[in-house]
Amino acid sequence: MATSVSFLTSSFASLSFTSNLTPKSQTLPIARAKPLSLTRPSTVKPLVITATAATAPVEAAETADLEKFVKSRLPGGFAAQTVIGTGRRKCAIARVVLQEGTGKFIINYRDAKEYLQGNPLWLQYVKTPLATLGYETNYDVFVKAHGGGLSGQAQAISLGVARALLKVSASHRAPLKQEGLLTRDSRVVERKKPGLKKARKAPQFSKR
């Protein structure tokens, strides 16, 4: 047994392991990225500049034309006219003049749709009295409104148009009154009370 172990150890010692592998350096090809240009391109869009510069003179010209048109149709101003009605709502006051025409509606020297921002509800308010009697294209309406917001002004104009239509003919009272267009809406914002947050809102109760 001892001879076999010594024989094995001598045979292992005589073996020599040689490696034919030669280490190769693996290099990956890296492409160089293009240098970033930090300079901001100096390109100006001429269309934007021309559009913004052109809108202001056009709007001013349209307003000036409407103002000349209203002054030519209303010599002496609003107070000198005969068919006139005054409407009020909240803090808004509207003075309305009716003249025979083609259905133009001008508020503060601007078209009604433009002045009321295209809001369908407000436009319906101002045109309801004329639509009730079927006079949408029979009269031109000229309005001078101030105070409050656009919603209050629209309702004030509606009352003013209805009152002006009464001066055209007394027979208009029955259909306008049936639709509730001759009633002055007296509701206003309730005043704030001392010790409260608003008109009725109280501060939060704290038990401790």
Side-chain angles (χ1 to χ4, degrees), residues 9-108:
T9 54
S10 62
S11 63
F12 274 115
S14 62
L15 293 176
S16 62
F17 297 96
T18 59
S19 177
N20 295 327
L21 297 175
T22 58
K24 293 183 179 180
S25 61
Q26 297 180 356
T27 59
L28 296 175
I30 300 175
R32 289 187 178 181
K34 294 182 179 180
L36 296 175
S37 60
L38 299 178
T39 59
R40 184 176 294 177
S42 59
T43 57
V44 181
K45 294 181 179 180
L47 292 177
V48 178
I49 297 174
T50 54
T52 54
T55 51
V58 169
E59 291 178 357
E62 290 179 355
T63 305
D65 292 341
L66 280 177
E67 188 171 353
K68 290 180 181 178
F69 173 73
V70 172
K71 289 182 178 179
S72 65
R73 293 288 300 274
L74 304 178
F78 280 76
Q81 309 307 312
T82 55
V83 183
I84 190 170
T86 302
R88 293 180 178 86
R89 175 73 175 99
K90 296 181 181 178
C91 297
I93 302 174
R95 183 174 291 178
V96 181
V97 173
L98 291 182
Q99 284 190 356
E100 292 185 0
T102 58
K104 292 184 179 179
F105 214 112
I106 299 175
I107 306 174
N108 291 346

Side-chain angles (χ1 to χ4, degrees), residues 77-201:
F78 280 76
Q81 309 307 312
T82 55
V83 183
I84 190 170
T86 302
R88 293 180 178 86
R89 175 73 175 99
K90 296 181 181 178
C91 297
I93 302 174
R95 183 174 291 178
V96 181
V97 173
L98 291 182
Q99 284 190 356
E100 292 185 0
T102 58
K104 292 184 179 179
F105 214 112
I106 299 175
I107 306 174
N108 291 346
Y109 308 112
R110 293 166 62 185
D111 184 68
K113 188 174 183 180
E114 178 192 353
Y115 185 81
L116 297 176
Q117 300 177 356
N119 191 302
L121 181 61
W122 299 341
L123 290 170
Q124 182 183 357
Y125 282 151
V126 299
K127 294 181 179 179
T128 298
L130 294 172
T132 302
L133 301 175
Y135 290 157
E136 296 96 336
T137 58
N138 295 356
Y139 288 96
D140 289 340
V141 184
F142 305 97
V143 182
K144 183 180 287 185
H146 66 276
L150 292 179
S151 176
Q153 287 185 6
Q155 297 176 56
I157 292 169
S158 176
L159 180 60
V161 172
R163 287 178 174 177
L165 286 170
L166 287 182
K167 294 186 178 181
V168 175
S169 175
S171 62
H172 295 158
R173 177 177 290 275
L176 292 174
K177 191 172 183 65
Q178 186 177 1
E179 296 295 328
L181 299 173
L182 295 176
T183 303
R184 202 291 201 196
D185 195 348
S186 61
R187 295 175 299 172
V188 294
V189 177
E190 191 174 348
R191 70 175 290 269
K192 181 185 178 299
K193 276 76 172 186
L196 301 181
K197 295 289 185 180
K198 297 198 300 183
R200 302 187 182 186
K201 182 180 179 181

